[in-house]
């Protein structure tokens, strides 16, 4: 069997993608300068939180994922980031190719919450590889890519932030159930509000005022007394 090794040499935000996308530069090496006709590669990417330190502000942002810092010895477990496939073209010995990873800014996803909590530094990633290789000098041989192939990479936090800023400049993102969205849309239409920001602001302002039907408020307004 052909021995393969993998390394990630860089990452960038894809500024032309329709949605948030990171592009990892992947180097694939076939031992003994072997001829590879094609490589159907699968890659699972995991975040390894235990492989970096965290400032106090970052620790506060990670509390809902890992709990209090005193518990991190048992709770700081790997977080699934992505699982993607790529077809590597023909090469002999070594090749570099792009690994395109669509991302999400859904704050209900653990990886997004983790990355959003980081303010600086690097994200410790582990890439796990598998797949099928088509090799041979005088014909085709089909070989599996062993499951133990992996590559560590430290992604700059700035790459993630740049990607998010391209698609959500100065904004956050939340996911709501359909019936809640329908109710918000009806409220926005009923009050002729120009944007979702104005809709949420109006609801927040309304929620800050005491309820008009509060019986205690009505009673004190009439009698001037607060005692039972």
């Amino acid at each position: 069997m052909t021995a393969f090794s993998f390394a990630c040499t860089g990452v960038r935000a894809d500024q032309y993608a329709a949605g948030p996308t990171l592009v990892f530069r992947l180097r694939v090496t076939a031992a003994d300068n072997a001829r590879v006709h094609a490589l159907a590669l699968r890659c699972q990417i995991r975040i390894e939180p235990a492989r970096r330190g965290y400032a106090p502000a970052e620790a506060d942002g990670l509390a809902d994922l890992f709990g209090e810092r005193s518990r991190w010895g048992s709770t700081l477990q790997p977080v699934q980031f992505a699982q993607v496939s790529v077809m590597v073209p023909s090469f002999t010995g070594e090749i570099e190719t792009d690994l395109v990873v669509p991302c999400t800014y859904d704050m209900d996803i653990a990886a997004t919450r983790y990355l959003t909590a980081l303010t600086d530094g690097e994200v410790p990633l582990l890439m796990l590889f598998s797949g099928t290789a088509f090799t041979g000098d005088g014909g085709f041989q089909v070989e599996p890519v062993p499951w133990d192939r992996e590559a560590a990479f430290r992604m700059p936090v700035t790459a993630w932030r740049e990607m998010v800023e391209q698609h959500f400049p100065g904004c956050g993102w939340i996911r709501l159930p359909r019936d809640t969205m329908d109710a918000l849309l009806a409220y926005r239409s009923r009050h002729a509000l120009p944007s979702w920001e104005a809709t949420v602001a109006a609801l927040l302002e309304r929620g800050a005022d005491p309820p008009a039907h509060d019986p205690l408020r009505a009673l004190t307004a009439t009698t001037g007394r607060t005692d039972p």
Side-chain angles (χ1 to χ4, degrees), residues 109-180:
I109 305 299
T112 303
R113 286 156 63 193
Y114 173 86
L115 291 164
T116 302
L118 303 184
T119 59
D120 202 358
E122 297 173 328
V123 183
L125 301 178
L126 183 64
M127 298 180 169
L128 307 172
F129 298 96
S130 63
T132 304
F134 302 89
T135 63
D137 292 325
F140 279 84
Q141 297 177 350
V142 180
E143 305 177 14
V145 176
W147 282 90
D148 62 352
R149 302 295 89 184
E150 61 184 41
F153 179 66
R154 302 189 73 86
M155 178 180 73
V157 173
T158 52
W160 168 265
R161 292 190 173 276
E162 178 186 348
M163 179 200 70
V164 171
E165 192 65 20
Q166 286 178 0
H167 295 273
F168 305 99
C171 299
W173 191 94
I174 58 173
R175 181 176 60 184
L176 296 173
R178 187 177 299 278
D179 56 348
T180 304

